[in-house]
Amino acid sequence: MKKLALLLSAVSLLLISAACQTSKTAGMSARINAVGGNDQIAARVRYDDTRMAGSLQVLGAITRQNPDGFILAQVEVQNLTKRNYPIQYLFAWFDQNGMEIYPGKRPWQQKVLFGGEIANLQGVSPYPEAVEFKIHFRNLP
């Protein structure tokens, strides 16, 4: 009986410690070409939480270049859940050599997506030489 209690305690402790160490980071991302006629999502929309990756879907992306050379990007996303979903998103911009423009200096934007809502998120390049962008998503802290 004593061995059984010890075994159950050990298994319970193991399960609790494993649950506390489970990572929520998905690391999935999508890079989007912002110049030219091909505005497809390649493979770098980043979700910082695995649950978010199953609850938020990127439906498409379009861009246009303003007369002053800056790129305006619009990403269409859908909340796949039936509840309100508060998120933060960030556009990261890259030049023709793949170097990020002003890394870490752009603010995260906030948006609450209602259940099933489809919304358009927009960003403007900080530099006229930007040719592509990535969009990052995370839950509100």
Side-chain angles (χ1 to χ4, degrees):
M1 185 69 152
K2 193 174 183 180
K3 287 182 181 180
L4 182 60
L6 183 62
L7 180 63
L8 288 176
S9 297
V11 170
S12 298
L13 183 61
L14 184 63
L15 289 174
I16 291 171
S17 66
C20 292
Q21 294 179 6
T22 302
S23 174
K24 293 182 181 179
T25 301
M28 294 182 290
S29 49
R31 178 170 269 166
I32 300 154
N33 183 357
V35 175
N38 188 3
D39 293 333
Q40 70 182 16
I41 298 174
R44 292 213 202 223
V45 168
R46 182 175 168 101
Y47 301 95
D48 284 342
D49 185 300
T50 53
R51 282 181 272 166
M52 176 177 263
S55 301
L56 185 68
Q57 180 179 12
V58 175
L59 301 175
I62 57 174
T63 60
R64 77 163 188 234
Q65 195 163 12
N66 291 338
D68 57 3
F70 292 88
I71 295 172
L72 174 65
Q74 180 173 291
V75 177
E76 186 177 33
V77 296
Q78 182 176 14
N79 177 359
L80 300 176
T81 70
K82 294 181 180 181
R83 59 180 166 73
N84 292 349
Y85 200 56
I87 63 167
Q88 289 184 325
Y89 64 94
L90 174 73
F91 283 89
W93 296 91
F94 298 85
D95 66 14
Q96 65 186 7
N97 298 320
M99 296 289 293
E100 186 174 357
I101 300 168
Y102 303 134
K105 297 187 180 183
R106 308 216 13 113
W108 286 85
Q109 304 295 314
Q110 296 184 5
K111 174 80 175 157
V112 175
L113 297 170
F114 301 107
E117 179 182 8
I118 296 173
N120 292 309
L121 310 176
Q122 293 186 344
V124 178
S125 65
Y127 193 64
E129 282 75 21
V131 296
E132 69 180 13
F133 68 92
K134 292 181 191 176
I135 187 164
H136 301 266
F137 296 99
R138 69 181 183 190
N139 290 313
L140 278 170

